[in-house]
Amino acid sequence: MWFFAPADRADRRGDIVDLAICCTQKEDVDKLICDTLDKVLVLRFGRASDAVCMQLDEILAKSAREVSKFASIATVDIDAEGIQMYVKYFDISWIPATIFFFNAQHMKMDSGSADHTKWIGAFESKQDFIDVVETVFRGAMKGKMIVTCPLPPERIPKFQLLYKDI
């Protein structure tokens, strides 16, 4: 697990905050999931070198300060050997994939796709990400395990699920 600058310290060149944590081991992810209490844990699964992941990471970094009271953000390197169990468990075949947790419970979101377990692709804007995380947080505080995506359909990335061996 790598630690960067604290999320409350901004880079003065553009007020971009480094993402706090990058996980490369299953134990790191387990600890984050179990230890993040009363906040949404946002896990971005992907590769640091992927263009869409870099776009999403920029949005996450710019949003980190604004969501810090109700969310923590971490990135997960899907190429790390120790993470493969999570890659298989969450069926991560498209990157970036963003998964939400609240008090160690996997939070799901109905965004109009067949897969409610994760967000596929980058958010169009910082505000879209903040709206989604805030919706997940408010739903979780009400005891919901699945929330409805607050974004209009035209701002939700489209993809097609492919089922193998069915």
Side-chain angles (χ1 to χ4, degrees):
M1 186 170 359
W2 304 326
F3 291 95
F4 297 103
D8 60 345
R9 259 191 249 158
D11 180 309
R12 295 295 162 219
R13 292 170 299 197
D15 285 338
I16 296 176
V17 180
D18 285 332
L19 295 178
I21 303 167
C22 179
C23 299
T24 57
Q25 298 295 320
K26 178 188 177 298
E27 294 78 19
D28 299 339
V29 176
D30 292 343
K31 184 168 176 33
L32 276 175
I33 291 170
C34 291
D35 292 352
T36 304
L37 300 175
D38 298 326
K39 281 186 169 187
V40 174
L41 174 61
V42 179
L43 292 178
R44 189 280 285 150
F45 285 79
R47 293 183 184 94
S49 61
D50 181 76
V52 181
C53 289
M54 287 191 284
Q55 177 187 355
L56 178 56
D57 288 350
E58 184 177 335
I59 289 169
L60 297 177
K62 286 180 179 179
S63 306
R65 174 176 282 173
E66 292 178 51
V67 300
S68 65
K69 291 193 187 303
F70 57 91
S72 297
I73 302 169
T75 61
V76 181
D77 179 8
I78 65 162
D79 293 325
E81 196 62 38
I83 297 297
Q84 295 311 304
M85 191 280 296
Y86 276 116
V87 171
K88 288 183 179 106
Y89 182 78
F90 288 115
D91 190 27
I92 297 171
S93 50
W94 292 55
I95 60 170
T98 307
I99 300 175
F100 305 96
F101 290 88
F102 186 82
N103 290 344
Q105 294 291 317
H106 181 202
M107 294 295 297
K108 297 169 182 71
M109 182 173 49
D110 181 358
S111 58
S113 73
D115 187 358
H116 298 150
T117 62
K118 58 191 166 284
W119 178 273
I120 304 292
F123 292 89
E124 281 194 20
S125 69
K126 171 181 150 181
Q127 191 58 52
D128 285 353
F129 171 71
I130 293 169
D131 290 347
V132 165
V133 174
E134 188 174 2
T135 299
V136 171
F137 177 74
R138 288 177 188 221
M141 292 301 287
K142 293 177 183 175
K144 295 181 179 180
M145 299 304 293
I146 186 166
V147 296
T148 302
C149 182
L151 305 179
E154 61 272 6
R155 292 208 315 262
I156 298 172
K158 303 289 185 244
F159 64 94
Q160 229 175 354
L161 293 175
L162 302 175
Y163 295 98
K164 296 179 186 176
D165 304 325
I166 292 184

